[in-house]
Amino acid sequence: MNHLDGNALAGPLSELFSVDMTLATGRCLGCGDESVLARAMVYESGTDLVVRCSHCDDVLMTLVHTPGDLRIELRGIGMLRIPL
Amino acid sequence: MGIISRGFSGRSREHNPELPPGQFLTEDFPVLSAGPTPRIDTDEWEFTITTENGTVHRWSWADLMALPIEDVATDIHCVTRWSKLGTSWRGVSLDTLFAGVDTGYGYTMAHSYGGYTTNVPLADLLGGKAWVAFEFDGQPLDPEHGGPARLLVPHLYFWKSAKWVRGIEMHKGDDPGFWEQNGYNIYGDPWLEQRYS
Amino acid sequence: MTTITSGERVAPVSVWKVGVVASVHTETPSGRSIMIDVPGWGGNLAGQHLDLRLTAPDGYQAVRSYSIASASAGDRLELAVDRLPDGEVSPYLVDDLQPGDEIELRGPLGGWFVWRPEQTEPVQLIGGGSGIVPLMAMVRAHQESGSTAKFRLLYSVRTPEDVFFRDELMAFASSAIEITWVYTRAVPAGWATPAGRVSRDILASSTIPASENPAVFVCGPTGFVETVADLLVELGHPAASVKTERFGGK
């Protein structure tokens, strides 16, 4: 078993967002499931992360760390809802 | 850069001038994953090459094993900065697989069980540069490392060596695969340090 | 020079702060608890974690997440780390780190896998190995706050020697919280049950039933967490009531 869960996103996403994104709810564009990001499955490829829907395994987002920037692809998530 | 942690050195790594820029030598074989490990039985495994007119060339596991198999000794370079020198593999050359394939397209997309994709120009799959590899270090390739078979394209960063490869699709243009869509370089030459886009 | 008053968080969670190791304590043959003083930390909730960053002399960096064993308001926090055989960071933390060493960390992180004293529903904690760490913070917070919420803990370890915070948990067991011990490889002398993994039967007989609508927190290695979470749902717990935190380590 090689994966973690969305709790592991708290640190990396804090580099970009000032609110706790693990509490954000997103809709999986693959299967429609709506869950907090803390419940997503997180796969580590070095310092890069692939975040997948815990219901259907579709990719919700990826985080790629380059020397100069942090790249976040959010294409698998419909509407992020973030409690303030 | 952070404060130096007294006494910390991390995994054993060497700066070796023979390596591509920015790489460290490792004795490990780190497992990097983008998703769950597919479990594919060789009974159900197949490999296909699909051309632009829809022709599908198909090989079962038995078909693959009946083809000429090569021993490959090569260096591999991961975008996460780890390099391994002199790794040994066994596999079937893409030259063998493409021998009967008629295509006018110059680019390919490799597809894997589990959905992973990566793009490789056709010229980088031919000329003795790529294999469908099913043995590593004298053992059947472990599912963690892409078994039963993975693409092996060692002259490019190792994300191009698609684990659990199931087929190659001919493309007209250099369309980006999974990591290429997510910030990695479209080509990935380690000697030019082409990690990111 | 900036004066930082203890207890005030002065920097966002994303900023790397420098902590100083105050003390270390051997917990198990492969594990250690570590007290760290971090000016400006400002405390953390029970269940939160932090990221540690280590830098080698040639600039190589490694970042790992660790759950925080403490849940207090001040600038001192406690970690507990298990040495993983092929680990890169955990062997350093367990074997090499010394009082006085500086260490970089960011946090506190994670507002989901958290227990707050304001919560009144019963709580079932299930920890595997070093998964006990954030659950320990919850037990301590429960104790510290005087909460009367019903707390039960199921703690699964390989052998009796692998128990973190043993004395403290034994003291809690006699006063505040019911603890079920599961030993997967070797049991204490005179133990009635043979060694074995957490099973559906063990969960059914030793944890707060779904009918009491507990909040459930499961933490440990990924395989343990997923097996237990699936069994809990089979036993009738709504998936939404079961919160999980998977450990990678290394």
Side-chain angles (χ1 to χ4, degrees):
Chain A
M1 288 266 180
N2 55 4
H3 58 277
L4 301 176
D5 51 50
N7 293 298
L9 296 173
L13 289 179
S14 75
E15 293 177 42
L16 198 67
F17 300 100
S18 59
V19 293
D20 181 359
M21 290 299 283
T22 68
L23 297 176
T25 305
R27 184 179 71 252
C28 173
L29 291 178
C31 70
D33 176 67
E34 291 191 20
S35 292
V36 286
L37 277 189
R39 287 191 183 270
M41 297 300 109
V42 171
Y43 293 86
E44 299 172 292
S45 192
T47 53
D48 299 332
L49 303 176
V50 179
V51 183
R52 290 178 177 269
C53 173
S54 60
H55 283 75
C56 77
D57 269 334
D58 270 13
V59 176
L60 297 174
M61 70 165 74
T62 63
L63 278 80
V64 169
H65 287 90
T66 76
D69 54 32
L70 172 65
R71 299 167 189 203
I72 302 184
E73 254 289 357
L74 290 163
R75 70 176 64 192
I77 300 188
M79 190 169 73
L80 272 169
R81 280 185 292 137
I82 301 137
L84 295 170
Chain B
M1 159 145 156
I3 58 164
I4 306 292
S5 311
R6 182 205 60 81
F8 175 70
S9 55
R11 281 194 210 289
S12 111
R13 66 186 175 282
E14 292 169 38
H15 292 267
N16 184 320
E18 287 176 25
L19 296 178
Q23 298 294 107
F24 300 116
L25 200 61
T26 183
E27 300 300 318
D28 301 327
F29 197 171
V31 175
L32 275 55
S33 61
T37 299
R39 304 282 163 179
I40 307 298
D41 215 274
T42 51
D43 289 342
E44 61 194 65
W45 184 94
E46 71 170 14
F47 181 82
T48 58
I49 295 179
T50 306
T51 63
E52 57 270 32
N53 64 8
T55 306
V56 181
H57 303 259
R58 209 181 291 269
W59 292 264
S60 67
W61 189 261
D63 294 334
L64 190 78
M65 292 301 122
L67 293 171
I69 294 170
E70 299 180 12
D71 292 306
V72 183
T74 188
D75 304 334
I76 62 180
H77 309 293
C78 183
V79 71
T80 61
R81 299 183 182 271
W82 300 110
S83 287
K84 285 180 75 63
L85 300 183
T87 59
S88 66
W89 306 78
R90 277 169 58 79
V92 174
S93 167
L94 269 291
D95 292 298
T96 303
L97 293 164
F98 266 92
V101 174
D102 185 23
T103 177
Y105 280 178
Y107 297 95
T108 76
M109 185 72 73
H111 291 258
S112 296
Y113 289 101
Y116 181 79
T117 55
T118 189
N119 58 296
V120 185
L122 182 61
D124 289 276
L125 290 180
L126 303 177
K129 295 198 284 294
W131 297 263
V132 173
F134 51 85
E135 258 182 49
F136 171 73
D137 231 16
Q139 298 293 321
L141 189 60
D142 200 275
E144 255 195 342
H145 287 298
R150 76 181 297 164
L151 190 61
L152 177 63
V153 193
H155 70 285
L156 300 177
Y157 278 120
F158 216 50
W159 88 74
K160 296 282 184 180
S161 292
K163 294 197 270 195
W164 316 296
V165 71
R166 72 185 303 175
I168 305 262
E169 190 178 49
M170 297 312 301
H171 276 231
K172 188 172 187 187
D174 204 8
D175 303 316
F178 176 77
W179 281 119
E180 295 83 2
Q181 293 173 44
N182 285 286
Y184 284 21
N185 193 279
I186 193 81
Y187 183 62
D189 182 342
W191 296 97
L192 299 176
E193 210 168 2
Q194 295 175 341
R195 302 178 197 269
Y196 306 108
S197 57
Chain C
M1 178 165 155
T2 308
T3 303
I4 295 174
T5 305
S6 177
E8 292 172 7
R9 181 171 303 121
V10 296
V13 299
S14 59
V15 168
W16 291 99
K17 307 164 190 54
V18 179
V20 178
V21 177
S23 63
V24 297
H25 173 71
T26 300
E27 295 282 336
T28 74
S30 61
R32 187 195 238 189
S33 57
I34 303 167
M35 289 287 196
I36 306 177
D37 290 320
V38 189
W41 177 250
N44 58 269
L45 300 171
Q48 288 191 300
H49 65 275
L50 51 77
D51 286 347
L52 278 185
R53 180 168 73 181
L54 302 179
T55 307
D58 66 357
Y60 174 83
Q61 291 189 321
V63 177
R64 300 290 188 275
S65 299
Y66 288 98
S67 286
I68 306 165
S70 53
S72 42
D75 288 351
R76 172 167 287 200
L77 59 91
E78 184 176 23
L79 302 181
V81 179
D82 200 30
R83 185 204 307 115
L84 286 152
D86 56 349
E88 180 177 35
V89 168
S90 61
Y92 171 76
L93 297 176
V94 174
D95 301 327
D96 299 327
L97 195 69
Q98 293 300 330
D101 283 343
E102 289 186 319
I103 192 159
E104 282 191 303
L105 48 92
R106 78 178 160 192
L109 300 169
W112 185 73
F113 193 84
V114 159
W115 181 81
R116 293 175 172 80
E118 303 84 81
Q119 294 172 236
T120 57
E121 72 273 19
V123 172
Q124 177 66 52
L125 308 173
I126 303 175
S130 53
I132 188 66
V133 177
L135 309 182
M136 196 65 199
M138 295 179 185
V139 168
R140 288 167 165 176
H142 178 257
Q143 192 69 359
E144 181 75 25
S145 66
S147 162
T148 56
K150 176 172 167 183
F151 256 52
R152 286 192 76 165
L153 166 66
L154 186 151
Y155 186 4
S156 172
V157 288
R158 284 181 304 245
T159 76
E161 286 67 49
D162 295 314
V163 172
F164 277 83
F165 309 115
R166 183 194 350 235
D167 294 342
E168 195 176 338
L169 283 172
M170 294 297 194
F172 284 139
S174 59
S175 63
I177 163 178
E178 201 168 330
I179 303 182
T180 298
W181 307 92
V182 175
Y183 300 100
T184 63
R185 301 240 187 106
V187 300
W191 197 249
T193 330
R197 292 175 182 270
V198 174
S199 65
R200 185 188 157 119
D201 286 346
I202 290 175
L203 288 173
S205 60
S206 325
T207 61
I208 300 174
S211 54
E212 290 185 37
N213 299 307
V216 187
F217 294 91
V218 188
C219 184
T222 295
F224 172 87
V225 166
E226 294 190 347
T227 300
V228 168
D230 288 346
L231 290 171
L232 289 167
V233 169
E234 272 183 41
L235 288 170
H237 294 269
S241 299
V242 179
K243 290 191 173 179
T244 54
E245 180 149 73
R246 292 159 181 76
F247 274 11
K250 298 209 238 26

